[in-house]
Amino acid sequence: MLQLQLPTTGLAGVSQSQSKQCSACTSARSSARALSRHQARRAARTGRGQLQAVAAAKDKKGKLMWEALREAVDEEMEADPNVCVIGEDVGHYGGSYKVTYDLHKKYGDLRLLDTPICENGFMGMGIGAAMTGLRPIIEGMNMGFLLLAYNQISNNAGMLHYTSGGQYKVPIVIRGPGGVGRQLGAEHSQRLESYFQSIPGVQLVACSTVANSKALLKSAIRSDNPIIFFEHVLLYNVKGTSLAFLRLQSSLIGWDLKEFRTHDYKGSACM
């Protein structure tokens, strides 16, 4: 019988060579993956930097506070289709101080709903909309007029989450101007914080600068609690820079942005 002898040495050499090639391929693939991850992270950092630079360039000369508030409403309406605005002259007129100027062209008349002069009625409609899943922003043309809707705010907006045993949330923002100035007369110049601070379940927010007005309003819109957002009529035309610009500057010259933050901010997403 013939016996075939296989060249074991050659096979061993081939297997060793193949294993070395496989190891080389594996290490090459690992290096490629690591490089691609590094490139991806670098691209992401570069992209964020470019976005911050664009935002800073737009904001370099500063903006007015009503413009910062308008940006907050616009960005939240674009990000969440459940956000809507209800009030007198909030649509085609753009709000009494232009906070919703031209937004009806982008989002339509139903998401910027003009109402009759009936604060008690459209406040109740907004609270009902919030209970069913929307996030309405109710604009009081003047904070003094919200006394006409005080029952809706106190007995419904502030208490429904408690009286329903947690079954309902009321994510509503009630915002509008107030304060003395601009020759508005007695009925248009009131500040009603002391009225509303005694209502259980309602949170109060007051903005004071361009930097905090946008961030605070965006946080208020995202909150699941009913919030009354106070704006002073003499601050609408105050000029300043937003937190997007301050963040870029802080990265360049080492500012500490903690002094510009409040406990209600939700991190960089709101800046």
Side-chain angles (χ1 to χ4, degrees):
M1 296 180 61
L2 294 175
Q3 293 183 353
L4 296 177
Q5 293 184 353
L6 297 176
T8 55
T9 305
L11 288 177
V14 171
S15 62
Q16 290 176 0
S17 175
Q18 288 177 344
S19 64
K20 289 180 181 179
Q21 290 177 357
C22 291
S23 299
C25 292
T26 303
S27 62
R29 285 195 295 268
S30 299
S31 300
R33 282 195 296 268
L35 182 60
S36 62
R37 286 195 296 268
H38 175 71
Q39 290 174 339
R41 287 195 295 268
R42 184 175 180 181
R45 288 196 298 269
T46 304
R48 285 195 295 270
Q50 289 174 347
L51 290 175
Q52 288 181 345
V54 170
K58 291 181 179 179
D59 201 28
K60 187 175 181 180
K61 295 182 179 180
K63 66 183 68 173
L64 304 180
M65 198 175 84
W66 72 265
E67 294 176 313
L69 292 168
R70 183 187 179 278
E71 283 184 4
V73 175
D74 185 16
E75 290 173 9
E76 292 304 305
M77 290 187 72
E78 185 174 8
D80 187 351
N82 291 319
V83 178
C84 58
V85 182
I86 302 173
E88 301 158 2
D89 291 332
V90 298
H92 290 253
Y93 187 70
S96 54
Y97 287 90
K98 302 302 181 185
V99 174
T100 56
Y101 179 71
D102 268 357
L103 292 183
H104 75 96
K105 296 179 181 178
K106 184 176 181 180
Y107 300 107
D109 294 340
L110 290 179
R111 291 188 67 189
L112 286 106
L113 186 63
D114 283 324
T115 66
I117 303 175
C118 184
E119 284 78 5
N120 193 49
F122 66 73
M123 186 65 66
M125 180 173 65
I127 294 169
M131 292 172 64
T132 58
L134 298 181
R135 292 186 174 273
I137 304 167
I138 307 298
E139 178 176 316
M141 184 176 283
N142 187 274
M143 278 293 179
F145 300 157
L146 292 182
L147 291 177
L148 298 169
Y150 194 87
N151 176 64
Q152 293 282 11
I153 297 171
S154 61
N155 288 328
N156 289 325
M159 298 185 183
L160 275 170
H161 182 68
Y162 172 77
T163 57
S164 68
Q167 296 181 70
Y168 291 104
K169 296 179 181 179
V170 188
I172 188 172
V173 177
I174 303 164
R175 55 155 296 272
V180 299
R182 304 290 181 191
Q183 299 178 338
L184 294 176
E187 293 183 358
H188 296 70
S189 302
Q190 300 181 73
R191 296 292 293 180
L192 302 177
E193 289 91 339
S194 60
Y195 283 67
F196 293 107
Q197 70 181 6
S198 60
I199 302 174
V202 171
Q203 297 178 349
L204 308 186
V205 176
C207 61
S208 57
T209 66
V210 172
N212 69 28
S213 60
K214 180 178 179 180
L216 286 172
L217 184 54
K218 289 170 73 70
S219 293
I221 295 170
R222 298 178 190 183
S223 173
D224 288 333
N225 299 306
I227 294 176
I228 303 178
F229 195 91
F230 291 94
E231 304 158 11
H232 200 289
V233 294
L234 295 181
L235 296 179
Y236 281 119
N237 289 325
V238 169
K239 200 169 188 179
T241 54
S242 69
L243 283 176
F245 181 65
L246 293 176
R247 288 180 65 209
L248 181 64
Q249 284 192 324
S250 70
S251 65
L252 296 177
I253 60 178
W255 283 357
D256 185 4
L257 277 185
K258 291 181 180 179
E259 60 182 302
F260 298 103
R261 296 174 181 266
T262 73
H263 294 295
D264 290 326
Y265 287 178
K266 293 184 179 178
S268 60
C270 296
M271 298 180 186

